[in-house]
Amino acid sequence: MGKSVPVCSGCLGKGAGGFNVTEVSSGPGFYSVKQTFTGGPQFKNFYDGKKVAQSIVCTNCGHDLVAFESSGKMGCSECYNVFNEQVKRIIRNRK
Amino acid sequence: MKKDINSLIVSTRVRLARNLERVPFKTEVVDAFDSVATTIKNANPHYLSVRIDQLHGKVANALYEQHLISRELLSNSKNGMIVVKDDKVEDVTRSNERVCVMLGEEDHIRIQVIKQGFDLQSCFNTAKKISDDISKEHKIAHRNDFGYLTTCPTNLGTGMRASVMMFLPALSLTNQISVVARQLKGEKITIRGVYGEGSKSAGYMYQISNQACLELDEGEILEKVNEIVRLIAVREIDLQKSLLDESPDQIINQVMRSLGILTHAHMISSDEAVEHLAWLKLGDCIGIVKFKPGALDDLFFVIQPATLTTQNEKASEYVTRDKMRAKKISEVLRVSRMK
């Protein structure tokens, strides 16, 4: 599931700008962060899934993860490198 | 047995989906696909290309009616194109082997080859050749782990959809299509009605297709679809024999009534014509009547509204069209009847 990233409550309280979202959300750790921090009402203001997801963007076509998850479609062939883990999950579910 | 199976198979289709590397799937560049169209035409004589915004409405409707182009492509007036194998676009609906490459649909390139009868390998060979022609001059998006990269990740793999249109009246009349559909799910094969929704299809026409998967290559998919089609055909033939054994008078009566209507009607709608043609085709399958091979299958297509209109401008008005349809059917049946 990936490793969770420890973040102090002070940084959490600052909102998405409190730390570098890209560092938390990049790589296989992204979904583990979501699972670690959502659920508790004290974290909702900080962790906005949409803001974190938008940080993953295909630099070739501008397609972001929110657009992918809402449409189920890729923006270009390069998106498969950018959203590699999400695609692998879809393939596992297809079997 | 081979002859019996072939009488149930109307047509075969192979579609290959390909995308250009790094080009956005929904590109709005006006000449995005011009060079691909040129590549196909240079490599294949007697192919021509037409931009969607220059396609005559009636021709577009006929191509749509025969499942050669999609609504999605028709809505792409920016850079949508088709490349067809024929000297005139409207002639493609009348060819025995219909080739239509859609450019600018959900995927950049969708190569479609349709042949009358049962011939998956031949359709695949033609489609593959066009794909190879394009690959020689354009970089096609592909990864070893994901196969051909498509707009929808659910279509990853070979990018191939192999389909067979089958005539399954007995399975339909005995409400077994949904049973077959459930059994095919585990094989990643789907069955759906060609005309209409749900488990019953007007004209008892059904399309059997593979679903996308990464585990099988093209050859394995073709083999699996071949095998499934043969199994379904055997089941259908057995059921037809049972139906005839149980209710011979009712079946013969329905077939002959349909023959009477189709040979003598002054006007007939496409829905009614399809219903009676289906009975006639069942009669042909079980030997009550006999027609030249392919004659009835052809009729299912040429009597559709838009297809009739491309052959005669006057058919755009429904009364004229229904009269033309009735005349066309009775002429074909008179000429092609053998028993």
Side-chain angles (χ1 to χ4, degrees), chain A residues 50-69:
Chain A
K50 192 170 174 180
K51 284 180 187 165
V52 177
Q54 280 175 336
S55 70
I56 303 178
V57 178
C58 173
T59 53
N60 184 56
C61 68
H63 207 57
D64 61 32
L65 189 59
V66 168
F68 167 52
E69 288 184 341

Side-chain angles (χ1 to χ4, degrees), chain B residues 273-290:
Chain B
V274 163
E275 186 191 329
H276 289 300
L277 277 173
W279 277 107
L280 221 50
K281 189 163 164 65
L282 175 59
D284 183 77
C285 286
I286 55 183
I288 297 170
V289 288
K290 214 71 203 150

Side-chain angles (χ1 to χ4, degrees), chain B residues 15-264:
Chain B
R15 183 219 74 194
L16 298 180
R18 302 286 187 259
N19 287 283
L20 301 169
E21 228 178 53
R22 299 186 65 84
V23 175
F25 293 134
K26 281 284 177 205
T27 179
E28 300 200 339
V29 173
V30 169
D31 60 355
F33 306 112
D34 286 14
S35 57
V36 175
T38 302
T39 298
I40 298 171
K41 288 186 294 184
N42 286 346
N44 299 278
H46 302 298
Y47 277 50
L48 65 94
S49 62
V50 181
R51 299 187 74 89
I52 291 301
D53 60 358
Q54 287 165 6
L55 198 59
H56 193 283
K58 291 184 178 107
V59 175
N61 287 338
L63 292 171
Y64 175 72
E65 211 168 55
Q66 294 209 17
H67 312 287
L68 286 165
I69 58 175
S70 64
R71 265 195 222 284
E72 180 150 358
L73 182 71
L74 282 174
S75 68
N76 181 5
S77 53
K78 284 200 174 72
N79 54 27
M81 295 177 79
I82 54 169
V83 182
V84 299
K85 177 189 171 187
D86 244 301
D87 294 318
K88 282 194 290 181
V89 175
E90 46 267 45
D91 286 347
V92 75
T93 59
R94 294 194 273 273
S95 304
N96 181 42
E97 182 187 67
R98 284 164 274 172
V99 179
C100 180
V101 183
M102 294 196 284
L103 301 175
E105 215 249 5
E106 181 181 273
D107 295 297
H108 292 150
I109 302 162
R110 284 199 167 183
I111 302 162
Q112 302 176 110
V113 181
I114 305 172
K115 278 190 92 164
Q116 286 180 341
F118 190 24
D119 200 345
L120 278 168
Q121 191 62 52
S122 169
C123 286
F124 173 71
N125 292 345
T126 303
K128 186 73 169 55
K129 189 216 174 268
I130 296 172
S131 173
D132 290 344
D133 291 335
I134 298 170
S135 301
K136 282 174 194 158
E137 298 193 15
H138 305 270
K139 283 202 149 183
I140 298 298
H142 181 275
R143 260 174 63 163
N144 288 340
D145 52 350
F146 291 161
Y148 286 101
L149 303 183
T150 46
T151 308
C152 274
T154 48
N155 288 334
L156 286 172
T158 59
M160 181 173 83
R161 183 67 51 89
S163 311
V164 178
M165 191 188 296
M166 295 186 75
F167 177 62
L168 304 172
L171 281 168
S172 185
L173 287 166
T174 55
N175 296 317
Q176 292 192 46
I177 294 292
S178 51
V179 173
V180 171
R182 274 196 301 275
Q183 289 168 344
L184 292 179
K185 214 173 169 187
E187 300 285 342
K188 292 201 188 280
I189 301 277
T190 60
I191 177 169
R192 63 174 184 83
V194 173
Y195 303 112
E197 302 291 326
S199 56
K200 283 218 190 311
S201 172
Y204 310 123
M205 294 290 188
Y206 295 86
Q207 189 168 72
I208 285 81
S209 308
N210 69 290
Q211 287 178 306
C213 74
L214 288 167
E215 295 79 23
L216 302 178
D217 64 27
E218 288 92 337
E220 287 163 335
I221 291 171
L222 291 178
E223 206 177 297
K224 178 185 274 252
V225 174
N226 257 313
E227 185 199 335
I228 299 280
V229 163
R230 287 178 194 283
L231 286 173
I232 293 174
V234 165
R235 200 148 146 192
E236 168 68 27
I237 289 167
D238 286 345
L239 261 179
Q240 283 180 13
K241 284 178 183 153
S242 299
L243 280 178
L244 190 60
D245 287 343
E246 282 169 22
S247 318
D249 291 325
Q250 286 85 343
I251 304 268
I252 294 168
N253 185 40
Q254 188 59 64
V255 171
M256 298 314 288
R257 277 169 175 265
S258 292
L259 179 64
I261 288 171
L262 289 176
T263 46
H264 289 89

